[in-house]
Amino acid sequence: MSAEFTVDVPVRFRDLDPMNHVNHAVYASYLEAGRTAYLRDVVGLEPEEISFVIVDLHLSYERPITQGDEPTVALSVSRLGDSSCTMAYEIRADGDVAATAETTIVHIDSETERPSPIPDAMAERIREYEGLEAAA
């Protein structure tokens, strides 16, 4: 991972399955919490202003997260395109990697609901935070 961004996510009782493990589907909501915090803190977007949609998600489970764990989502941007952004994640619990993931998000024009270029100011904030070079 490059310029790592982290956010803590609590394990809620409703996240648990009958075996006292965080349900597999909840991991995606932990990724969402990390991504939303990144877009707020790095890009400057409030949740209601987020104009990105997920077009691809890969998630690999390494170990269960249980009640009492204190998960952290670590993420970085691995690729920044004209209208898309690929993020790499680790969900960690008590110092161990519980899951790894990758999402590709696409910027959407709010009027046409079609993919559109990421605004220059947003892309520049991501490039600056991540230490990425501008596309030639």
Side-chain angles (χ1 to χ4, degrees), residues 28-112:
S29 69
Y30 290 174
L31 301 178
E32 180 183 46
R35 188 173 50 257
T36 301
Y38 181 97
L39 291 171
R40 180 192 64 226
D41 296 351
V42 173
V43 181
L45 294 175
E46 291 302 321
E48 64 275 5
E49 299 171 322
I50 294 175
S51 51
F52 290 91
V53 296
I54 293 177
V55 297
D56 194 40
L57 165 67
H58 295 271
L59 184 54
S60 297
Y61 303 93
E62 306 295 327
R63 79 153 182 88
I65 297 174
T66 60
Q67 182 87 35
D69 284 340
E70 297 179 2
T72 298
V73 176
L75 69 104
S76 65
V77 170
S78 56
R79 189 183 88 61
L80 183 62
D82 290 333
S83 63
S84 67
C85 176
T86 301
M87 295 179 158
Y89 307 78
E90 285 185 352
I91 300 176
R92 302 175 185 145
D94 300 323
D96 295 328
V97 175
T100 58
E102 183 178 271
T103 60
T104 300
I105 59 176
V106 171
H107 184 262
I108 299 295
D109 179 281
S110 60
E111 291 181 21
T112 65

Side-chain angles (χ1 to χ4, degrees), residues 19-33:
M19 293 177 48
N20 205 33
H21 297 151
V22 169
N23 182 279
H24 69 280
V26 174
Y27 285 61
S29 69
Y30 290 174
L31 301 178
E32 180 183 46

